[in-house]
C-alpha cells in the first residue's frame, strides 16, 4: 500500500530521528576499555562470590565444599548473571559474543592463566596491550616496558593497540626519554636511566641550583645584579606604567595597576590618605581627603529664604521644608498649610471616642 505524501514525510522524519546520534552523548568506549571494564566486573563478581553461603561451624566440611564451589559452574553462572546492568548495551553485547571464551577460561585455563585481563584482552581478543607496551604488535614504549619514558612521562598508546609510543613528559622534563630538565628546572640527579629535576627559583629562567644566585638567565621582570637575579621595581620607573587615576603596586617579577580612591585626584597608594589632591567637595584634613560639610559653613550654601540644607558626600542639596513650595527666590508657605495653621485640628470630643 502506498502511503500518502504527509504520512511518508512523517515516517522519514521519525526514522531520521531514531538513526541520528543524540547531541551531547558520551563517547563510545574503545574495544580495549570495553574489555577492561568486562574483566573488572568479572573479577568483582569473583570477589563477591568468594565465600558465598559459608558462615562457619564445620570447618572441614566448609573447606571441602568451598573448594568444589570455587571452580564450579554454579559460581560461574552467578558471576555471569550479575556481570552487566540491563541498560549497559556494550557490556551485554560483549558478554554475548565472548561468553564461551570466559567459560573456557573458568573451567579449563584459570590455573594456568591466572591473569584474566592478559589472557582475555591481550592474548585472545588482542584489543589491549600490557602496561608499558603499545600498538598493533604491543611494542615496548620509549625507555622500555618496565619504566616507560624513564618514569617521568606518559607513553602515548600505553596499554592499547594504538598510539606511537612516544613520550609525553611530565612538567619539568623534556627530551625523547624525558631525561632532560625543561627551562625553569635544574638536574638534581641524572644517569642513563634515571633523572630527577627540581624547580628553579622564581627569578630564574634557567639555572643550576635552587637559589636566585644559581640562575644562568633571569626571568622577565628580573635583572641580574652582582650575580643575583633581583626583582625589577617597575613602579619606580621614570615614566610610571599606570594612568593618572591609578597607583602602581610592585609584584615579584611584575606589577599591577589599582584604581585610586574615589576622593582622589591622582594617588600614590590605596585609600583617601594616599591622595595627591582631593576631588571637589573634599579637603585634606590630617593628611586624608575628608568630605566638606557645606551646610555648616559660615557662608550659607542654600541662599533662598526658608530653604533647608542637607549635606551629601562631596556635595549638598537644598530642599524646601514640608508645607512650602519652591519659587525662584524663596520657599513660600502653601495656602493649604496656612489654613491648617490658622485653624488647627481640634482633638476629638469625649463623646466621639
Amino acid at each position: 500500500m502506498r502511503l500518502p505524501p504527509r504520512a511518508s514525510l512523517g515516517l522519514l522524519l521519525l526514522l531520521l530521528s531514531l538513526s541520528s546520534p543524540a547531541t551531547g552523548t558520551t563517547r563510545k568506549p574503545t574495544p580495549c576499555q570495553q574489555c577492561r571494564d568486562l574483566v573488572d566486573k568479572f573479577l568483582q563478581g569473583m570477589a563477591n562470590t568468594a565465600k558465598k553461603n559459608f558462615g562457619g561451624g564445620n570447618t572441614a566440611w566448609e573447606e571441602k565444599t568451598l573448594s568444589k564451589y570455587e571452580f564450579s559452574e554454579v559460581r560461574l553462572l552467578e558471576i555471569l548473571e550479575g556481570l552487566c546492568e540491563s541498560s549497559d548495551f556494550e557490556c551485554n553485547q560483549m558478554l554475548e559474543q565472548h561468553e564461551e571464551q570466559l567459560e573456557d577460561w573458568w573451567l579449563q585455563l584459570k590455573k594456568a592463566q591466572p591473569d584474566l585481563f592478559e589472557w582475555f584482552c591481550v592474548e585472545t581478543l588482542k584489543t589491549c596491550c600490557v602496561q608499558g607496551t603499545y600498538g598493533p604488535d604491543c611494542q615496548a614504549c620509549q625507555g622500555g616496558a618496565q619504566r616507560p619514558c624513564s618514569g617521568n612521562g606518559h607513553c602515548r598508546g600505553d596499554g592499547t593497540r594504538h598510539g606511537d609510543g612516544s613520550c609525553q613528559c611530565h612538567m619539568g622534563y623534556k627530551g625523547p626519554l624525558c631525561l632532560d630538565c625543561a627551562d625553569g628546572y635544574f638536574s638534581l640527579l641524572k644517569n642513563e636511566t634515571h633523572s630527577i629535576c627540581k624547580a628553579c627559583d622564581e627569578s630564574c629562567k634557567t639555572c643550576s641550583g635552587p637559589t636566585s644566585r644559581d640562575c644562568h638567565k633571569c626571568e622577565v621582570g628580573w635583572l641580574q645584579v652582582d650575580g643575583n637575579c633581583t626583582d625589577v621595581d617597575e613602579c619606580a620607573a621614570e615614566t610610571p606604567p599606570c594612568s593618572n587615576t591609578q597607583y602602581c603596586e610592585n609584584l615579584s617579577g611584575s606589577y599591577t595597576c589599582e584604581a585610586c580612591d574615589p576622593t582622589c585626584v591622582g594617588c600614590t597608594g590605596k585609600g583617601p590618605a594616599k591622595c595627591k589632591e582631593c576631588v571637589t567637595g573634599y579637603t585634606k584634613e590630617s593628611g586624608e581627603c575628608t568630605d566638606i560639610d557645606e551646610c555648616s559653613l559660615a557662608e550659607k550654601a542654600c541662599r533662598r529664604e526658608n530653604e533647608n540644607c542637607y549635606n551629601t558626600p562631596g556635595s549638598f542639596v537644598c530642599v524646601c521644608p514640608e508645607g512650602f513650595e519652591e519659587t525662584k527666590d524663596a520657599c513660600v508657605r502653601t495656602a493649604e498649610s496656612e489654613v491648617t495653621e490658622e485653624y488647627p485640628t481640634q482633638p476629638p470630643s469625649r463623646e466621639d471616642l
Side-chain angles (χ1 to χ4, degrees):
M1 180 181 69
R2 185 187 295 271
L3 292 170
R6 187 179 296 276
S8 300
L9 179 61
L11 180 59
L12 177 62
L13 291 173
L14 177 62
L15 292 173
L16 287 172
S17 67
L18 292 173
S19 61
S20 60
T23 57
T25 55
T26 55
R27 183 179 294 179
K28 184 179 178 180
T30 63
C32 179
Q33 188 58 54
Q34 288 180 26
C35 193
R36 282 182 185 275
D37 291 344
L38 190 71
V39 167
D40 288 344
K41 290 172 182 176
F42 194 99
L43 296 177
Q44 184 60 52
M46 288 177 63
N48 294 341
T49 59
K51 290 188 178 181
K52 194 171 181 182
N53 299 324
F54 296 90
N58 190 331
T59 306
W61 178 86
E62 280 191 8
E63 287 179 354
K64 182 180 178 182
T65 312
L66 185 58
S67 177
K68 292 180 180 178
Y69 173 76
E70 183 180 1
F71 301 100
S72 68
E73 290 187 51
V74 173
R75 186 181 177 198
L76 173 62
L77 184 60
E78 289 178 2
I79 294 171
L80 294 177
E81 284 180 346
L83 206 61
C84 301
E85 297 286 341
S86 58
S87 59
D88 192 338
F89 174 75
E90 284 83 9
C91 180
N92 283 290
Q93 184 183 47
M94 191 169 198
L95 179 59
E96 184 179 349
Q97 292 172 348
H98 304 291
E99 187 172 348
E100 287 185 11
Q101 289 160 310
L102 289 172
E103 289 176 2
D104 289 342
W105 177 81
W106 179 265
L107 298 172
Q108 301 174 30
L109 303 170
K110 187 166 175 258
K111 287 186 177 180
Q113 300 277 358
D115 190 329
L116 176 59
F117 169 76
E118 189 170 338
W119 176 82
F120 186 56
C121 299
V122 179
E123 297 175 6
T124 304
L125 300 189
K126 300 186 185 303
T127 57
C128 299
C129 294
V130 295
Q131 290 299 306
T133 63
Y134 75 95
D137 300 319
C138 293
Q139 296 172 269
C141 290
Q142 294 288 330
Q146 296 302 314
R147 294 185 74 250
C149 306
S150 311
N152 298 323
H154 173 71
C155 167
R156 288 186 173 91
D158 191 358
T160 75
R161 297 279 171 160
H162 304 287
D164 59 9
S166 62
C167 291
Q168 185 177 1
C169 298
H170 297 156
M171 184 177 290
Y173 296 88
K174 66 179 183 179
L177 298 178
C178 302
L179 283 170
D180 301 322
C181 297
D183 283 355
Y185 292 80
F186 68 95
S187 179
L188 193 65
L189 179 151
K190 184 177 180 181
N191 57 34
E192 291 182 359
T193 58
H194 289 71
S195 177
I196 298 176
C197 298
K198 293 291 184 182
C200 298
D201 185 82
E202 64 174 340
S203 63
C204 306
K205 186 173 182 64
T206 57
C207 70
S208 57
T211 73
S212 59
R213 287 196 170 274
D214 297 315
C215 300
H216 294 160
K217 187 177 180 181
C218 297
E219 268 287 4
V220 176
W222 305 80
L223 189 65
Q224 201 149 33
V225 179
D226 298 329
N228 187 50
C229 282
T230 306
D231 175 48
V232 176
D233 187 356
E234 294 86 354
C235 300
E238 187 175 341
T239 303
C242 302
S243 71
N244 293 333
T245 60
Q246 297 174 316
Y247 66 92
C248 182
E249 196 169 284
N250 191 52
L251 304 174
S252 292
S254 187
Y255 69 94
T256 182
C257 295
E258 303 289 345
C260 292
D261 190 85
T263 63
C264 300
V265 177
C267 66
T268 58
K270 184 178 180 180
K274 298 292 185 178
C275 297
K276 293 179 180 178
E277 296 180 22
C278 301
V279 296
T280 303
Y282 286 81
T283 187
K284 279 276 183 92
E285 284 186 11
S286 303
E288 186 170 317
C289 285
T290 308
D291 175 49
I292 298 171
D293 185 356
E294 293 85 355
C295 298
S296 63
L297 298 177
E299 185 179 349
K300 293 181 65 174
C302 298
R303 300 177 181 277
R304 292 183 297 187
E305 187 179 356
N306 298 324
E307 193 170 36
N308 290 337
C309 180
Y310 296 96
N311 188 54
T312 61
S315 187
F316 64 96
V317 291
C318 300
V319 180
C320 290
E322 189 176 354
F324 288 76
E325 62 183 4
E326 190 176 326
T327 66
K328 183 179 179 181
D329 301 316
C331 291
V332 180
R333 189 182 295 278
T334 61
E336 191 175 290
S337 66
E338 287 180 354
V339 170
T340 304
E341 189 172 291
E342 187 174 346
Y343 302 102
T345 304
Q346 297 295 324
S349 64
R350 187 178 298 273
E351 288 79 8
D352 293 332
L353 294 174

